[in-house]
Amino acid sequence: MKIDFEVVWRIIRKNLSFFLHGVKWTCLFAFIGTFMGFLIGLVLGGVRAISIEHTDKPFVRLLKRFVILCTRFYVWVFRGTPMMVQAVFIYYLFKPVFQWNSHTAGLVVISLNTGAYMAEIIRSGIQSIDPGQMEACKSIGMSFMQSLVHVIMPQAIKNAFPSIGNEFVVNIKDTSVLNVIAITELYFQTVSIAGSNFKYIETYFITACIYLFLTTIASTFLNYIEKKLDVKRNVENMFVESH
Amino acid sequence: MDAIISVRNLKKSFTTEEVLKGISFDVHKNEKIAIIGTSGCGKSTTLRCINLLEFPTDGEILFHGENILKLKNLNQYRAKVGMVFQNFNLFNNLTVLDNCVLGQMKVLKKSREEAVEEAKKQLGKVGMLNYAGQAVTTLSGGQKQRVAIARTLCMNPEVILFDEPTSALDPEMTGEVLKVIKDLALEGMTMIIVTHEMKFAEGVADKVLFMDKGVVVEEGAPEVILENPKEERTRQFLKRFIEK
């Protein structure tokens, strides 16, 4: 049991461009996947916050129920199955229809998968907002949509920010499962490199270090933003106490 | 003169409990109505039914003769009936100024310039203009409630509903908020106030409603209800209140 650092250096020097290629795709997939997932989450989280009003016509009520049910189904399926399985299944299922390459399919899969988690994060963010905020919106005549966009969502996103950021960190690691549809991200590259040099320990050691580096940078950056949001909150609290 | 709002045999049940058992009263222009009563008697529910934050189980609420329970779009109606909450419910993500601007732009479709002008005018009226650029989370309770009143005034409402506007405030802040409400009353604003401040009710209201267990037990001029109530229940309530 030993890591030969000379071998490590040799592998790095020889395969640097392969590793960097993998890093590029890993970062790209993690970033786009998280971003698209966030957008999906905003819409679905908003949908799940819809309340059925007394003034709604029967048709509108039915429509609302149906839409809410659909989002539940989506979240149920995508959170309840592994992304690896989703990747293969969706890629081959829609291949005859879209004629897509695996990279496009991969982006769609990671976005949809993240979207399901984001929907739950946004929904709980919305639920954490005092119902009085929505009532105040209603009381001055704002519509549900206006209230959501201008008052509820900004607060919900701020509250849910740590969880949203966490999804990004998770995605940096989870892109690795997309190797099953031959996406040349970091893990896929590692498998190829180790497969040609047979130095499994050293090659995977390098890969682990790269993942750790990426997630550390992401976490640090997210912490920084979070603190910025929080500092404002703390100053506000101090101010309130001084009254 | 016709009433702005007529509440007719208003009933409201939550699951099994009947909270309102047939409330009726009229609100005329410039009239100030105070609703008093023990906690849980249905005062707040009555107010919340009037702007449909709660949907009545039965009865009618007429706004200039039109039954609002049959309205398809409530938003324009709600803009005309202001509401001031016990817990202020200011928009926590916005500044003092934007709290007053948002509704004007989105509901009344004003331009930002017009909305800001109106907001400044109303903030000045409640003595909060100096705080316009501040985040609302930095304000004290009394200041928050004054901003909430300004936010309501910006919508140019015909009636304002006050739901225990000072119950979450300490006595010092209560005074500053009551003064603002009193000034509005003197200007002739029509209002319904749910309150535990009997002195204030007596000084401001044209009519006092005493509610108990979901019904209006007694209504009349404040000096009659608060000094010489006919009903035993009203006397009991006021006696307990003075003892406190």
Side-chain angles (χ1 to χ4, degrees):
Chain A
M1 199 187 86
K2 142 174 184 290
I3 304 172
D4 185 340
F5 284 98
E6 265 180 38
V7 175
V8 168
W9 274 119
R10 216 174 56 229
I11 295 171
I12 292 178
R13 275 203 304 272
K14 195 176 166 210
N15 301 292
L16 187 63
S17 63
F18 283 92
F19 280 119
L20 287 181
H21 177 92
V23 167
K24 186 184 91 185
W25 282 105
T26 292
C27 290
L28 207 67
F29 270 75
F31 190 79
I32 297 178
T34 310
F35 183 73
M36 296 306 287
F38 176 66
L39 295 186
I40 295 172
L42 277 188
V43 174
L44 297 192
V47 166
R48 295 189 74 173
I50 288 176
S51 58
I52 291 161
E53 305 281 342
H54 273 273
T55 43
D56 289 340
K57 290 196 193 96
F59 171 72
V60 176
R61 264 186 220 204
L62 208 68
L63 191 71
K64 279 184 176 179
R65 286 226 172 86
F66 178 71
V67 172
I68 291 170
L69 214 66
C70 285
T71 64
R72 273 200 197 158
F73 178 79
Y74 166 76
V75 171
W76 177 60
V77 169
F78 276 88
R79 292 209 313 170
T81 55
M83 186 153 75
M84 207 184 248
V85 176
Q86 293 162 14
V88 178
F89 179 70
I90 290 176
Y91 173 44
Y92 288 109
L93 181 67
F94 292 105
K95 200 170 182 200
V97 190
F98 298 140
Q99 300 292 328
W100 56 8
N101 62 34
S102 64
H103 281 67
T104 316
L107 274 180
V108 169
V109 168
I110 195 171
S111 301
L112 289 175
N113 183 279
T114 309
Y117 286 91
M118 288 286 191
E120 286 300 283
I121 290 169
I122 300 289
R123 183 182 63 93
S124 71
I126 291 173
Q127 277 173 348
S128 75
I129 305 299
D130 176 4
Q133 296 284 312
M134 188 53 119
E135 288 188 349
C137 292
K138 280 186 185 170
S139 79
I140 58 171
M142 285 166 69
S143 68
F144 175 78
M145 239 358 231
Q146 290 171 337
S147 315
L148 207 60
V149 171
H150 297 287
V151 177
I152 308 298
M153 275 299 186
Q155 296 182 56
I157 292 170
K158 191 176 165 187
N159 286 359
F161 185 79
S163 310
I164 294 168
N166 189 46
E167 278 302 300
F168 179 54
V169 175
V170 167
N171 271 342
I172 291 175
K173 296 179 289 173
D174 281 5
T175 44
S176 59
V177 305
L178 295 177
N179 78 84
V180 290
I181 51 172
I183 284 161
T184 53
E185 43 66 52
L186 185 54
Y187 179 79
F188 185 92
Q189 298 294 84
T190 310
V191 174
S192 312
I193 294 165
S196 64
N197 65 16
F198 302 111
K199 301 285 182 196
Y200 290 100
I201 296 173
E202 282 76 12
T203 310
Y204 277 86
F205 174 73
I206 296 167
T207 302
C209 288
I210 297 176
Y211 273 121
L212 199 56
F213 176 73
L214 293 178
T215 51
T216 307
I217 291 201
S219 306
T220 312
F221 177 65
L222 291 166
N223 275 339
Y224 172 75
I225 298 180
E226 203 179 308
K227 224 172 246 167
K228 270 209 146 173
L229 294 172
D230 243 19
V231 165
K232 213 168 132 211
R233 223 176 280 163
N234 289 340
V235 172
E236 284 162 6
N237 287 344
M238 268 160 53
F239 208 92
V240 170
E241 277 159 25
S242 70
H243 273 278
Chain B
M1 195 175 61
D2 289 337
I4 298 180
I5 292 177
S6 297
V7 178
R8 295 269 169 272
N9 196 28
L10 178 67
K11 289 181 184 168
K12 174 69 184 173
S13 301
F14 291 109
T15 54
T16 53
E17 196 188 356
E18 194 173 32
V19 181
L20 300 179
K21 298 168 186 164
I23 306 280
S24 299
F25 64 91
D26 286 342
V27 188
H28 296 94
K29 193 164 168 50
N30 300 341
E31 203 172 20
K32 289 103 197 140
I33 296 179
I35 305 180
I36 59 170
T38 48
S39 302
C41 70
K43 310 181 294 275
S44 291
T45 308
T46 306
L47 275 200
R48 292 167 61 82
C49 281
I50 290 176
N51 72 354
L52 296 186
L53 289 179
E54 305 289 352
F55 205 86
T57 319
D58 197 13
E60 285 183 336
I61 296 168
L62 307 176
F63 183 70
H64 293 296
E66 189 182 5
N67 189 356
I68 58 159
L69 305 186
K70 300 223 159 66
L71 284 184
K72 282 193 188 77
N73 188 345
L74 292 176
N75 295 334
Q76 289 306 318
Y77 162 73
R78 278 185 175 138
K80 288 180 198 147
V81 179
M83 177 102 175
V84 173
F85 299 88
Q86 183 176 346
N87 297 320
F88 332 124
N89 291 344
L90 291 178
F91 305 137
N92 289 326
N93 56 320
L94 300 177
T95 61
V96 168
L97 185 71
D98 282 335
N99 261 273
C100 299
V101 166
L102 184 63
Q104 295 186 68
M105 288 176 69
K106 298 301 163 192
V107 182
L108 305 180
K109 308 292 179 200
K110 287 193 197 175
S111 71
R112 175 146 185 110
E113 289 73 33
E114 284 175 294
V116 166
E117 195 179 327
E118 177 71 17
K120 283 184 171 166
K121 188 177 129 201
Q122 301 301 350
L123 284 171
K125 200 183 226 172
V126 300
M128 288 299 291
L129 188 53
N130 289 340
Y131 296 83
Q134 220 160 298
V136 292
T137 37
T138 62
L139 304 178
S140 72
Q143 292 172 329
K144 280 184 183 172
Q145 195 60 297
R146 278 147 62 196
V147 173
I149 292 170
R151 174 176 70 183
T152 304
L153 288 173
C154 281
M155 305 303 289
N156 194 21
E158 290 185 42
V159 187
I160 301 183
L161 315 174
F162 290 90
D163 188 5
E164 302 194 29
T166 59
S167 292
L169 301 174
D170 63 35
E172 200 181 328
M173 294 174 187
T174 301
E176 68 187 53
V177 171
L178 290 184
K179 187 179 171 302
V180 168
I181 301 174
K182 201 163 190 173
D183 288 347
L184 281 179
L186 290 174
E187 278 176 30
M189 176 58 78
T190 313
M191 49 177 86
I192 309 176
I193 311 168
V194 167
T195 186
H196 289 296
E197 302 281 338
M198 297 304 153
K199 278 248 163 56
F200 174 73
E202 192 163 5
V204 168
D206 304 311
K207 185 161 81 178
V208 173
L209 269 63
F210 171 68
M211 282 181 65
D212 191 30
K213 293 178 182 146
V215 295
V216 176
V217 178
E218 198 170 354
E219 64 172 284
E223 51 278 11
V224 177
I225 302 293
L226 298 171
E227 308 291 342
N228 293 305
K230 287 195 205 82
E231 299 290 331
E232 181 57 28
R233 272 195 276 178
T234 317
R235 254 173 290 185
Q236 289 283 339
F237 169 76
L238 289 170
K239 198 170 140 216
R240 254 180 298 150
F241 212 87
I242 289 157
E243 277 168 9
K244 259 195 250 168

